[in-house]
Amino acid sequence: QVQLVESGGGLVQPGGSLRLSCAASGRTFSSYDMGWFRQAPGKEREFVATTIWRGEGSTYTGYFSDSVKGRFTISRDNAKNTVSLQMNSLKPEDTAVYYCAARRHNDNGGRSAPEYDYWGQGTQVTVSS
């Protein structure tokens, strides 16, 4: 069982930055693929970013949705069991509840919500002037 707790959401002006963090429980965190998803009111939950274990040591690959590529980065600290999402150049359309998600490593996919087994409670991000 993995428990995830997000933090770092809030209100920010367009063009600003926020850093979301997700703290995970569990002793095998390093072998989990970790993702971020978001859900805006009236919309389906959508993929934002994921970090996929490459199966060798501590090598991971990050993937991003087209809507955030170049503005968001994803990083993880296995020693602290945390994954972070750095969000820069934020836009009003980035407003949503952001969720951290985890799944046991899989070589396939990683961009679909049903692929993930564990979810945090979500943190609100509002981009508005």
Side-chain angles (χ1 to χ4, degrees):
Q1 189 75 10
V2 175
Q3 293 184 326
L4 305 173
V5 179
E6 302 98 335
S7 61
L11 173 65
V12 63
Q13 292 186 343
S17 298
L18 276 178
R19 186 177 181 86
L20 305 183
S21 293
C22 174
S25 64
R27 295 177 292 177
T28 58
F29 175 78
S30 62
S31 63
Y32 278 79
D33 299 333
M34 301 297 298
W36 286 95
F37 290 77
R38 67 187 182 186
Q39 188 166 18
K43 295 187 177 181
E44 293 186 355
R45 192 168 298 190
E46 66 172 358
F47 167 74
V48 175
T50 187
T51 172
I52 304 294
W53 187 42
R54 294 294 86 184
E56 297 180 358
S58 297
T59 303
Y60 300 87
T61 300
Y63 298 94
F64 302 87
S65 68
D66 289 342
S67 62
V68 307
K69 196 175 296 181
R71 300 188 296 123
F72 291 11
T73 58
I74 188 170
S75 61
R76 61 191 296 161
D77 185 336
N78 290 339
K80 297 182 178 179
N81 279 18
T82 59
V83 60
S84 297
L85 185 70
Q86 177 66 42
M87 306 185 295
N88 299 326
S89 302
L90 282 162
K91 305 174 182 180
E93 50 264 44
D94 294 318
T95 296
V97 177
Y98 283 70
Y99 296 90
C100 176
R103 68 172 191 176
R104 293 189 183 277
H105 171 62
N106 189 316
D107 286 334
N108 301 312
R111 298 171 183 255
S112 177
E115 298 177 47
Y116 289 80
D117 303 306
Y118 306 101
W119 292 85
Q121 82 288 352
T123 185
Q124 177 70 46
V125 171
T126 302
V127 185
S128 175
S129 55

